[in-house]
Amino acid sequence: MAGHVLFAIFQLASTLVVLVQSQNQSRFISIDCGLVDQPSYTDETTSIYYTSDANIISTGISHSISSKHKTQTPKRQLWTVRSFPEGERNCYTLTAPQGSSRKFLVRAMFMYGNYDGENSLPKFDIYLGADWWDTLVFQNASEIVTKEIIYAASSDFVHVCLLNTNTGAPFISVLELRFLDYDVYLFSSLDLLARHDLGLLDGELVRFPDDAYDRIWTPYNTKDWKQINTSLPVDQGSTSSGLMNYPPSIVMRSAATPANAGNNMEFNFLPGYNASTLYAYMYFAEIQKLQENQTRQFDIFVNGGLLSADISPFYLRTIYYLAVKPEPWLNIWLNRTERSTLPPLCNAIEIYVEKNLSQTQTQETDVDAIMNIKSFYGIKRNWQGDPCTPQAYLWDGLNCSYDGSGTRRITSLNLSSGGLTRNIAPDIYNLKSIEYLDLSDNNLVGEVPSFLAQLQFLKVLDLEDNKLSGTIPSELIEKSKNGTLKLSFGGNPNLSM
Ligand SMILES: *[C@@H]1O[C@H](CO)[C@@H](O)[C@H](O)[C@H]1NC(C)=O
Ligand SMILES: *[C@@H]1O[C@H](CO)[C@@H](O)[C@H](O)[C@H]1NC(C)=O
Ligand SMILES: *[C@@H]1O[C@H](CO)[C@@H](O)[C@H](O)[C@H]1NC(C)=O
Ligand SMILES: *[C@@H]1O[C@H](CO)[C@@H](O)[C@H](O)[C@H]1NC(C)=O
Ligand SMILES: *[C@@H]1O[C@H](CO)[C@@H](O)[C@H](O)[C@H]1NC(C)=O
Ligand SMILES: *[C@@H]1O[C@H](CO)[C@@H](O)[C@H](O)[C@H]1NC(C)=O
Ligand SMILES: *[C@@H]1O[C@H](CO)[C@@H](O)[C@H](O)[C@H]1NC(C)=O
Ligand SMILES: *[C@@H]1O[C@H](CO)[C@@H](O)[C@H](O)[C@H]1NC(C)=O
Ligand SMILES: *[C@@H]1O[C@H](CO)[C@@H](O)[C@H](O)[C@H]1NC(C)=O
Ligand SMILES: *[C@@H]1O[C@H](CO)[C@@H](O)[C@H](O)[C@H]1NC(C)=O
């Protein structure tokens, strides 16, 4: 497909009704990592509600950045970090609320701020589940590095993991998750390279609450362009099922146009590394009321090829064009056509690089079950990230089946000598692929539940040396007699057959 140009025009056919969406944060998870002095707060500028990570991660150490950097940094979320000097891999596991979409925007922010007083910039890797996302490097202690990706997940769990590559302790400042829907981002995983509101003045920024999805729009100005704007709202677009996630009206209400009306517009983008396929979303809306004798019409050329010809953006309505290019650079020209009396304009642009995420994950029902078992027994092992992937970081005491497809199943659970008290956890019943279960040498009490006999793949069940009582369910005895199950239960004085 090299050299192939995909393009598409999407425009809103039907409704001109501007839907009013209540801008609430029910679809956000916003975490201020390392926050200790309070459990949560609402950011004054953005009104985003941030919570501490103290209750969602059991590893790492919270730190404040140095007072020098703190006074220079208005963004409160950057004042604390969580660092991970211990352990090769540490993960945050975020869970989407039930019933929400599985299309996520995940954003992580990092500012070193000399939090450890060492004046030594670390370098480490960030992973999304089992997939490498990026290597984080810093130019200086006050540089804010932001990583953002939009992707369709295969489960409700999002694991963001930091890997120590022996070049300094990993740390993180902010972690944000937004649930998307009805969107223009049709592709499986798009790593953000740039998102610009071309009418924005230097030093300004647009995000929530102006952008209901909390995308962050920054300015992009050159001396060859000037900004124009309107005070009227631009239709954001909607489908029968809800709002489209076009740029918000405040972004579309302004645009860049050539400073010299006789010129065309050029936009260059070099990601700085050999990116794979680049995606450029260009958004247009006419924001000047044109006279009868006025026309604005232009062609879009991307990397020398025509993407679309004779474009005349609609008055106060958004359209977008998407260029998908295999080259690791973008050169975009908006050239006015001969019949145009006005120069081209462009309101906003987003550039993404396609990420090849394998998306291998443990089956969600198994993850749910093992998470519940972990909290039921208060298990303190280094159980982080996805239970079965990547294989190198399989949870201690677990084994999984690797069947070539993307989904992993938990096949073995060994909690022997784990200091377990309480009953046999009911969630074990939900580990439907389990073959080997060792609960020996704990302080388990109560009866042996009959659901264990319904785990159809269970071949080994070791209950020795506990404080179980009552009688063993007859189906288990039967299975052990006919050779389908290897059952051991000695060392439970109050347990009988
Ligand atoms: C927040 O938005 C969601 C979905 O958009 C909606 O279901 C919910 O009722 C809203 N909550 C409030 C308090 O407005
Ligand atoms: C830190 O690095 C960033 C990115 O290279 C740069 O924009 C900024 O000016 C630098 N700050 C200082 C204080 O050197
Ligand atoms: C809109 O344009 C006017 C006139 O050029 C300018 O004074 C004003 O600052 C602009 N407003 C915004 C929000 O950019
Ligand atoms: C990018 O690819 C080009 C050609 O394939 C190669 O010459 C160049 O060294 C590569 N650059 C990096 C940073 O990998
Ligand atoms: C368009 O019409 C207006 C008056 O209606 C006139 O002032 C203007 O010069 C015309 N512009 C062009 C490009 O013909
Ligand atoms: C677009 O305009 C630029 C500058 O005016 C010009 O150099 C370029 O050749 C034009 N592109 C095409 C394909 O006409
Ligand atoms: C994506 O990664 C998989 C596994 O690592 C590989 O088999 C596949 O060829 C890659 N696809 C692309 C487009 O790079
Ligand atoms: C996990 O299972 C595989 C294949 O069944 C086996 O080769 C491996 O030794 C097991 N690993 C552990 C830690 O039990
Ligand atoms: C199960 O865990 C115990 C305690 O960690 C260990 O001694 C035993 O070897 C493990 N069993 C298997 C089959 O790996
Ligand atoms: C062994 O007994 C169990 C429980 O009664 C039964 O479901 C299973 O089919 C039997 N298997 C064989 C090989 O007889």
Side-chain angles (χ1 to χ4, degrees):
M1 295 263 283
H4 182 82
V5 179
L6 276 175
F7 84 90
I9 171 169
F10 297 84
Q11 66 191 52
L12 294 162
S14 55
T15 169
L16 284 167
V17 180
V18 179
L19 287 189
V20 181
Q21 193 201 36
S22 62
Q23 316 239 294
N24 70 42
Q25 297 176 42
S26 62
R27 302 154 72 80
F28 290 9
I29 296 175
S30 310
I31 297 163
D32 183 344
C33 305
L35 180 72
V36 282
D37 55 338
Q38 59 191 127
S40 64
Y41 63 87
T42 298
D43 185 90
E44 279 173 20
T45 22
T46 60
S47 75
I48 295 170
Y49 176 74
Y50 286 93
T51 54
S52 162
D53 60 353
N55 292 327
I56 59 166
I57 192 154
S58 55
T59 57
I61 305 169
S62 37
H63 293 274
S64 289
I65 60 171
S66 78
S67 49
K68 171 182 153 225
H69 289 105
K70 198 165 166 173
T71 50
Q72 293 166 353
T73 310
K75 238 178 183 327
R76 179 173 175 181
Q77 295 81 59
L78 300 170
W79 292 355
T80 58
V81 303
R82 180 171 295 270
S83 81
F84 299 96
E86 305 280 334
E88 196 180 342
R89 171 177 174 259
N90 287 276
C91 301
Y92 285 85
T93 293
L94 307 179
T95 315
Q98 283 259 307
S100 74
S101 75
R102 284 184 175 174
K103 192 101 184 211
F104 301 113
L105 181 159
V106 182
R107 181 162 53 218
M109 287 191 212
F110 308 84
M111 185 183 125
Y112 170 62
N114 196 23
Y115 74 83
D116 54 1
E118 302 276 332
N119 268 314
S120 164
L121 299 166
K123 178 178 163 192
F124 52 90
D125 286 353
I126 182 169
Y127 274 70
L128 209 50
D131 296 300
W132 177 80
W133 184 1
D134 208 348
T135 297
L136 290 162
V137 289
F138 300 87
Q139 303 304 318
N140 55 55
S142 50
E143 187 190 11
I144 301 164
V145 176
T146 302
K147 286 300 305 166
E148 182 183 313
I149 195 166
I150 289 176
Y151 80 112
S154 56
S155 83
D156 285 347
F157 295 99
V158 175
H159 307 283
V160 176
C161 301
L162 302 177
L163 250 81
N164 190 325
T165 51
N166 295 319
T167 41
F171 73 90
I172 183 167
S173 309
V174 190
L175 186 57
E176 297 172 334
L177 193 65
R178 286 39 181 136
F179 307 106
L180 305 174
D181 45 13
Y182 313 123
D183 63 4
V184 299
Y185 312 116
L186 304 169
F187 304 91
S188 61
S189 31
L190 296 174
D191 197 24
L192 181 71
L193 297 179
R195 179 183 291 128
H196 296 303
D197 173 354
L198 300 184
L200 206 58
L201 304 176
D202 280 333
E204 296 180 339
L205 178 145
V206 172
R207 66 181 295 183
F208 187 83
D210 292 313
D211 188 316
Y213 299 94
D214 193 30
R215 288 163 295 187
I216 299 177
W217 302 85
T218 56
Y220 179 93
N221 293 318
T222 84
K223 62 176 173 20
D224 303 325
W225 297 355
K226 65 171 185 184
Q227 271 74 38
I228 53 173
N229 67 56
T230 174
S231 55
L232 298 172
V234 174
D235 183 13
Q236 269 185 278
S238 52
T239 66
S240 55
S241 37
L243 208 67
M244 286 289 293
N245 55 12
Y246 284 170
S249 177
I250 194 168
V251 167
M252 295 304 297
R253 252 160 45 187
S254 60
T257 188
N260 176 341
N263 286 350
N264 290 321
M265 281 179 88
E266 184 186 20
F267 182 88
N268 279 302
F269 186 81
L270 259 178
Y273 62 95
N274 279 349
S276 61
T277 311
L278 291 179
Y279 291 71
Y281 288 85
M282 291 161 269
Y283 300 93
F284 305 94
E286 180 57 75
I287 53 172
Q288 290 178 334
K289 186 88 194 137
L290 304 190
Q291 305 300 314
E292 287 280 310
N293 59 0
Q294 286 184 311
T295 314
R296 191 191 309 276
Q297 193 187 59
F298 52 90
D299 300 333
I300 305 177
F301 297 94
V302 181
N303 294 1
L306 179 69
L307 180 73
S308 195
D310 300 341
I311 297 164
S312 287
F314 303 108
Y315 185 53
L316 303 181
R317 267 172 73 191
T318 301
I319 55 169
Y320 81 93
Y321 291 83
L322 169 63
V324 181
K325 302 301 283 185
E327 294 92 344
W329 48 275
L330 288 170
N331 170 246
I332 299 171
W333 274 104
L334 307 181
N335 285 9
R336 66 194 284 172
T337 62
E338 280 186 6
R339 57 174 291 253
S340 188
T341 65
L342 294 168
L345 61 63
C346 185
N347 309 59
I349 189 164
E350 289 179 285
I351 297 170
Y352 295 91
V353 60
E354 185 175 29
K355 268 275 153 181
N356 187 12
L357 301 183
S358 69
Q359 292 257 18
T360 52
Q361 282 196 358
T362 308
Q363 176 155 317
E364 199 170 358
T365 52
D366 282 2
V367 182
D368 270 329
I370 199 77
M371 294 277 195
N372 289 342
I373 292 166
K374 181 184 177 187
S375 71
F376 185 84
Y377 290 123
I379 291 171
K380 293 277 182 281
R381 300 178 189 210
N382 185 22
W383 279 9
Q384 294 198 55
D386 187 76
C388 300
T389 66
Q391 194 151 12
Y393 297 98
L394 199 60
W395 285 10
D396 176 33
L398 243 63
N399 208 349
C400 304
S401 58
Y402 290 86
D403 58 0
S405 81
T407 310
R408 306 286 186 255
R409 300 300 306 258
I410 296 172
T411 52
S412 143
L413 175 61
N414 179 2
L415 292 173
S416 175
S417 313
L420 312 186
T421 56
R422 305 186 70 174
N423 299 331
I424 292 179
D427 270 284
I428 288 174
Y429 178 60
N430 294 321
L431 294 173
K432 296 289 188 207
S433 294
I434 193 132
E435 296 168 15
Y436 176 98
L437 178 60
D438 187 348
L439 299 174
S440 66
D441 196 21
N442 283 299
N443 289 305
L444 295 172
V445 296
E447 304 211 329
V448 176
S450 59
F451 67 68
L452 291 171
Q454 288 157 37
L455 292 166
Q456 56 170 318
F457 301 108
L458 192 61
K459 293 196 206 76
V460 177
L461 175 59
D462 192 342
L463 303 172
E464 279 184 5
D465 300 319
N466 276 294
K467 295 184 175 132
L468 296 164
S469 55
T471 50
I472 308 245
S474 57
E475 305 94 305
L476 280 176
I477 301 287
E478 228 171 281
K479 278 190 159 186
S480 101
K481 278 193 178 146
N482 74 13
T484 32
L485 179 71
K486 182 171 178 290
L487 174 68
S488 6
F489 57 89
N492 287 281
N494 299 323
L495 186 63
S496 59
M497 277 181 60

